Amino acid sequence: GEGQEAGFSLWEWFFHIADMLQEKAGHPTKLKEIWEKGLLYGFVSRAGVERILPTLPVPAILLRFSDNQLSAISVSYRGSEWVEHLLPFELKEYIHSFGFPRLIRNLTQVGGIEAVVGSDGEVREKAEILQMEKKASSGSGGVTPSSTTGYAPYQLTFCSEGAPTSS
C-alpha cells in the first residue's frame, strides 16, 4: 500500500491517526469533533480524491488522513478548473499550534470555497468547521500539474484583532 512506500506500516499509520483524534491538553485541534461530525472524509487515497472532487456540483474541499506522512492531514480542493493537493499539515507543526478550524479559515487557496465533502460523500458547508474555531485572539475536473512533488504550495494568512498595547 501507499503507507508502506512511505516507510511505515499500516498499523503504525493507523495508530498515528487514532492518536491525532485525541484532544491533548493545551492543544484543542478540534480534529475529533470534525471527525465525529462527519466533516473529515478520512480514509481515501489521493487517486480516490481525484475521482471524487470532479464529480461534485460545486467547488469543494476534501480533508483526509495523509497516506504518505504520519500524523498529518491532507487538504485537497477543486476550484473551477482542477483538483489541487496541498502539502499535508503535520499535527505537531500546524494543527496543534492553531487548531484545524483556524487553519482552514486562513488557507488562502480555499478562501472562496464554501463546501466540504463529508465522510458520507455528501457536500456540506465549510462554515460547519469554521464555527468550531475557538475565538482566541479575536470546472473541468482535471488534475493540475503543481510541482515536481505533486503538491501545491500553501499560503497561510493570520491576522490579530485589536491594536498592539505597549507597556
Side-chain angles (χ1 to χ4, degrees):
E2 290 180 55
Q4 292 175 335
E5 293 169 10
F8 48 83
S9 72
L10 172 69
W11 295 112
E12 188 177 6
W13 177 69
F14 190 77
F15 173 78
H16 280 265
I17 289 170
D19 189 55
M20 276 195 315
L21 293 174
Q22 301 303 312
E23 291 292 331
K24 309 284 191 285
H27 299 288
T29 65
K30 299 292 187 185
L31 280 176
K32 182 176 181 181
E33 187 177 350
I34 291 168
W35 171 256
E36 288 173 344
K37 290 186 178 204
L39 296 166
L40 176 66
Y41 195 93
F43 302 98
V44 63
S45 68
R46 183 179 172 142
V49 171
E50 292 170 359
R51 285 190 300 274
I52 294 166
L53 284 176
T55 65
L56 300 175
V58 296
I61 303 164
L62 190 143
L63 309 173
R64 66 185 178 94
F65 301 114
S66 176
D67 57 3
N68 63 5
Q69 190 171 333
L70 294 175
S71 297
I73 298 290
S74 292
V75 177
S76 300
Y77 66 96
R78 188 199 88 205
S80 58
E81 298 294 321
W82 51 72
V83 174
E84 286 277 8
H85 305 279
L86 300 180
L87 204 59
F89 289 94
E90 292 182 31
L91 183 67
K92 65 180 186 268
E93 189 173 344
Y94 295 103
I95 302 171
H96 268 172
S97 300
F98 307 113
F100 207 67
R102 184 172 180 199
L103 187 72
I104 293 297
R105 177 182 305 283
N106 291 296
L107 264 176
T108 304
Q109 290 88 339
V110 300
I113 299 175
E114 298 302 324
V116 173
V117 183
S119 58
D120 57 2
E122 296 295 317
V123 175
R124 311 266 296 272
E125 290 185 31
K126 180 173 81 173
E128 290 184 60
I129 292 175
L130 301 181
Q131 291 167 355
M132 294 178 203
E133 182 179 6
K134 181 181 175 187
K135 299 288 184 185
S137 58
S138 277
S140 65
V143 178
T144 182
S146 301
S147 66
T148 56
T149 65
Y151 291 108
Y154 52 81
Q155 179 180 354
L156 293 171
T157 306
F158 290 98
C159 299
S160 176
E161 292 182 12
T165 58
S166 59
S167 311

